[in-house]
Amino acid sequence: MGSVVGSAVYQSGRRVEDVEIERLDIACEAVPPEPGRFVWIGLFEPDEGVLAKVQRRFGLHDLAIEDAHNAHQRPKLEAYGDSLFLVLRTAQLLDGHVRFGETHIFAGRGHVVTVRHGSSTSYAEVRGRCERTPRMLALGEIFVVYSVMDFIVDNYFPVLHVLETEIDELEDRVFKQRTTLADIERIYELRHELMTIRRAIHPLGEVCARMMRFDTPLIEERVQPYFRDVQDHVLRVVEAVDSLRELLTSALEANALFASLRQNEDMRRFAGWAAILAVPTAVAGIYGMNFEDMPELKQSWGYPVVLATIFTICGVLYWRFKRAGWL
């Protein structure tokens, strides 16, 4: 069945056998009452038929199954009797943009079912890591839940590292005043992606806090430090996202400031040249009024004197504006 990417029975931290969905009732007939035995099933975008089989075998709640089939849920933790249902958001960097997916986890006595939707890294690495540490896997179903959560949260760090490198390059172009319209558009895209990352990861802090409380089924006191570690990673991701968003905000403010300064410089330059050009314009306008009694009008040296006066005044104005930094 194409949607089933992994299905195996574990006993005391070791893999006992692989099992098909159709044989769940036979392979898992010892679950529970035999301690330390559980089945771990991994599904990728399963259809209703596969989910119905899993639901019938493990008695999963209708509302949780509906959420797992439809996806598009916010991160959360819900308890249905002695079983847990978790919704986690995953993130991957594809073609320079952050793509999000969802992972739903059903965990109860004798079973763990992970359901992946959308953009998400395969959990084969998580399964292999757990199988290489049978002592930890012997903790049971809750260790699998921890391992998947830890893997999802840790996968945010490479994404943020790549975004941080790009943001540093954008910030460098801003301060070198080499930004283009495409750079400004990319800054707004990054701000939106970072906000989406924050919305995806921030609720996991509360999920971890609830996992560490004694009122949550399946979780013993000895495994609570593991979820405290996941919570610490969540806080680090949130802090990194907030820092990057502040950098982008500062870059936008700096770009706006530089644009304002350039505009002021252009306005001063225009004002300086307008003042210089006003001198010949005013003199020419006065002498163009065709009055008979005007200074030096009938003198042979009147024309060159007026021109010399214009050039002298314009030269003095140009020197003063240049000295003041307006030109």
Side-chain angles (χ1 to χ4, degrees):
M1 201 167 296
S3 60
V4 182
V5 295
S7 180
V9 178
Y10 295 86
Q11 175 69 51
S12 301
R14 298 190 181 278
R15 189 169 186 152
V16 176
E17 63 173 321
D18 294 335
V19 60
E20 298 179 358
I21 294 294
E22 290 77 5
R23 295 182 58 249
L24 280 178
D25 291 334
I26 300 174
C28 305
E29 59 185 4
V31 181
E34 186 176 345
R37 184 180 177 93
F38 67 93
V39 61
W40 179 0
I41 300 173
L43 305 175
F44 178 70
E45 297 184 351
D47 55 31
E48 293 184 4
V50 174
L51 285 176
K53 292 178 181 179
V54 175
Q55 181 185 17
R56 285 195 300 268
R57 174 58 189 86
F58 300 117
L60 305 180
H61 199 279
D62 291 339
L63 293 178
I65 288 293
E66 182 181 354
D67 289 344
H69 179 68
N70 296 328
H72 304 295
Q73 305 293 318
R74 68 182 301 274
K76 62 181 179 179
L77 167 64
E78 294 180 351
Y80 295 99
D82 292 333
S83 301
L84 298 178
F85 174 65
L86 291 92
V87 177
L88 310 173
R89 297 292 303 278
T90 58
Q92 273 188 307
L93 202 61
L94 300 175
D95 300 326
H97 295 276
V98 182
R99 307 300 181 189
F100 295 92
E102 282 187 31
T103 292
H104 302 165
I105 304 176
F106 299 89
R109 296 297 179 189
H111 69 273
V112 177
V113 181
T114 58
V115 182
R116 292 191 293 124
H117 288 275
S119 182
S120 173
T121 304
S122 171
Y123 296 149
E125 180 181 344
V126 182
R127 189 183 290 267
R129 188 186 306 168
C130 291
E131 292 176 356
R132 289 191 296 270
T133 56
R135 183 178 63 86
M136 302 303 299
L137 188 55
L139 292 174
E141 304 86 353
I142 199 60
F143 182 75
V144 175
V145 175
Y146 153 75
S147 299
V148 174
M149 290 181 63
D150 185 61
F151 182 76
I152 290 174
V153 174
D154 285 350
N155 274 346
Y156 278 87
F157 288 106
V159 173
L160 292 177
H161 178 71
V162 174
L163 294 183
E164 182 180 9
T165 301
E166 183 179 1
I167 290 172
D168 288 340
E169 294 174 354
L170 286 171
E171 189 180 31
D172 184 63
R173 286 202 292 273
V174 167
F175 283 99
K176 289 182 178 178
Q177 302 186 40
R178 298 176 181 174
T179 53
T180 63
L181 180 59
D183 292 331
I184 302 303
E185 292 177 352
R186 182 56 181 157
I187 288 177
Y188 278 100
E189 288 178 359
L190 287 171
R191 280 169 54 89
H192 180 266
E193 289 180 350
L194 288 171
M195 177 59 71
T196 307
I197 290 176
R198 196 182 196 283
R199 287 200 297 263
I201 194 69
H202 186 263
L204 287 186
E206 177 59 31
V207 170
C208 292
R210 188 177 173 189
M211 298 284 276
M212 290 184 290
R213 292 201 293 265
F214 293 99
D215 61 345
T216 306
L218 289 181
I219 302 178
E220 301 176 5
E221 185 177 359
R222 58 178 177 167
V223 299
Q224 291 183 3
Y226 296 100
F227 291 101
R228 189 176 299 113
D229 179 69
V230 175
Q231 186 182 44
D232 178 66
H233 290 185
V234 170
L235 294 177
R236 286 172 54 194
V237 171
V238 172
E239 290 174 358
V241 168
D242 290 341
S243 297
L244 293 178
R245 291 184 66 242
E246 289 179 5
L247 284 177
L248 288 174
T249 301
S250 299
L252 283 175
E253 293 175 350
N255 184 73
L257 178 60
F258 287 139
S260 178
L261 290 175
R262 288 193 297 268
Q263 186 177 18
N264 289 339
E265 291 176 358
D266 292 339
M267 292 301 296
R268 288 199 300 266
R269 191 175 293 109
F270 290 146
W273 283 112
I276 293 173
L277 294 176
V279 174
T281 301
V283 174
I286 292 174
Y287 276 88
M289 294 181 182
N290 296 323
F291 292 123
E292 292 186 1
D293 297 327
M294 298 186 69
E296 319 300 342
L297 188 61
K298 296 181 179 180
Q299 301 294 331
S300 59
W301 41 264
Y303 184 69
V305 168
V306 171
L307 287 181
T309 302
I310 291 175
F311 283 124
T312 300
I313 297 174
C314 289
V316 172
L317 289 175
Y318 178 83
W319 174 74
R320 293 296 300 273
F321 288 139
K322 190 75 172 179
R323 186 177 179 184
W326 282 41
L327 297 177

